Amino acid sequence: MNTLFTADPVRAATFVTDGKLVVFPTETVYGLGAHAFDEKAVEQVYQAKKRPTSNPLIVHIGTLTDVLHIAREVAPLAKLLMNAFFPGPLTLILPRHPSLPGIVSGGLDTVAVRMPALPLAIKFLNAACIPVVAPSANLSGCPSATTWQSAAEDLNHRVHCILCGPPSTLGLESTVVDCTSELPMLLRPGAISEEQLRTVIPEFSTTPPDEFRSPGMRYNHYAPNAKIRLIENPNDVHPNNSSGYIGLLPPPLISQFKMCRVLADKNDYSHSLFEFFRDCDRSGIKTIYCQKVDQAGIGRALMDRLIRAAKSTK
Ligand code: AMP
Ligand code: MG
């Protein structure tokens, strides 16, 4: 299929309303969107990114009240989290509305909901006038796309339209919180930190999520073609013409790496990580050394992605 590239959110919205696939920007990563109530369109999302249909999708809304069309009910604690963090990089798991197709949620009776903060994403969603399912706009298992060019690298000719917006400012996916039981449970660390969540909801379930509650845990994620080596100390590296380095401290013999990124802080590191992985693959690098970070704030999500990328190495 031919892919249309546009900067016009209203034009892009006509495709999604029509049951077609549209890549669009958000502040976390780019999303691969389809009409949430059109089963055929949702099926195509799984096919386009080669995602197993048992790994459910996040439904994106442009207006808070749209949550009532996709969730059966919104518990008081979910309302608190929505008031504090919507629009923004937080996804809530709620009971699924009976009229929302089961394929959206991989057959679960729950649904994941997020309202992105990026104004261009909101314009697109509100012009579409429907809730839009959107997993990250990358081939399953690969690093998420944080620019439209990276999304096009994976999905050109597999989607009908790409809404070309700015690079994602956060660069890591949303935090996922399950609100379907008495105590909320953190299913995926993300751009909203646990410390931020606790300012609103002091008590979280301490049981670690299992793969029934959080199906995403079953699958490989975020892996470039290069091997990922996690290191504590920037001296533990072998710089050469086929290795890369990313971290907060400069490694020795920095000029001998084929590619190197030294970031000012954990936010910059998070913002740069997936694009750096893709740049390394583009230049044929075989090994990427990634400096570990502490788990405070965004550090928890960043370490989660680094560990999964290292485990998923192809
Ligand atoms: P991605 O599409 O790459 O942003 O990933 C979406 C994440 O949300 C995956 O980890 C999914 O497993 C998770 N998710 C989506 N819907 C649900 C749900 N109903 N219950 C639990 N996790 C979900
Ligand atoms: Mg993803």
Side-chain angles (χ1 to χ4, degrees), residues 49 51 55-58 93 105 108 110-112 134-136 173 176 187-188 213-217 221:
K49 63 174 279 166
R51 179 174 174 121
N55 191 7
L57 309 176
I58 297 174
I93 308 297
S105 301
L108 297 174
T110 54
V111 62
S136 49
E173 299 79 358
V176 180
L187 299 187
R188 174 174 77 180
R213 202 107 186 234
S214 185
M217 293 173 72
H221 286 293

Side-chain angles (χ1 to χ4, degrees), residues 80-299:
L80 285 176
L81 289 169
M82 283 173 69
N83 284 339
F85 300 112
F86 276 25
L90 178 68
T91 295
L92 299 180
I93 308 297
L94 304 173
R96 179 164 57 87
H97 196 288
S99 61
L100 188 73
I103 185 173
V104 168
S105 301
L108 297 174
D109 57 5
T110 54
V111 62
V113 185
R114 176 164 113 81
M115 182 175 176
L118 182 74
L120 189 60
I122 293 291
K123 278 187 193 143
F124 163 70
L125 292 167
N126 284 336
C129 247
I130 43 146
V132 169
V133 292
S136 49
N138 52 278
L139 289 174
S140 197
C142 296
S144 303
T146 59
T147 62
W148 64 260
Q149 292 90 339
S150 291
E153 218 168 53
D154 280 19
L155 297 171
N156 198 8
H157 304 303
R158 306 178 74 85
V159 298
H160 299 93
C161 175
I162 294 183
L163 175 57
C164 303
S168 301
T169 47
L170 298 172
L172 293 187
E173 299 79 358
S174 59
T175 306
V176 180
V177 176
D178 187 339
C179 299
T180 58
S181 42
E182 209 168 303
L183 282 183
M185 187 187 271
L186 185 65
L187 299 187
R188 174 174 77 180
I192 298 273
S193 68
E194 196 175 334
E195 293 89 330
Q196 283 172 289
L197 292 172
R198 282 186 193 280
T199 61
V200 178
I201 307 265
E203 210 184 346
F204 278 81
S205 167
T206 50
T207 322
D210 57 38
E211 58 179 51
F212 297 101
R213 202 107 186 234
S214 185
M217 293 173 72
R218 289 188 203 124
Y219 306 102
N220 285 346
H221 286 293
Y222 319 120
N225 294 322
K227 272 197 173 26
I228 302 292
R229 296 262 180 263
L230 302 187
I231 54 166
E232 297 282 350
N233 183 330
N235 292 317
D236 299 339
V237 293
H238 301 284
N240 59 43
N241 198 31
S242 64
S243 62
Y245 174 90
I246 186 166
L248 296 178
L249 291 171
L253 304 172
I254 193 166
S255 61
Q256 292 184 19
F257 284 100
K258 187 151 191 194
M259 296 198 68
C260 189
R261 290 296 302 271
V262 178
L263 288 320
D265 57 35
K266 289 185 286 185
N267 289 324
D268 277 354
Y269 193 164
S270 304
H271 165 80
S272 308
L273 182 69
F274 290 137
E275 200 53 29
F276 184 74
F277 282 176
R278 284 175 175 269
D279 279 343
C280 287
D281 279 351
R282 286 173 193 128
S283 60
I285 281 172
K286 299 278 179 273
T287 306
I288 307 172
Y289 294 95
C290 303
Q291 195 194 357
K292 294 187 193 174
V293 296
D294 67 75
Q295 298 264 351
I298 191 72

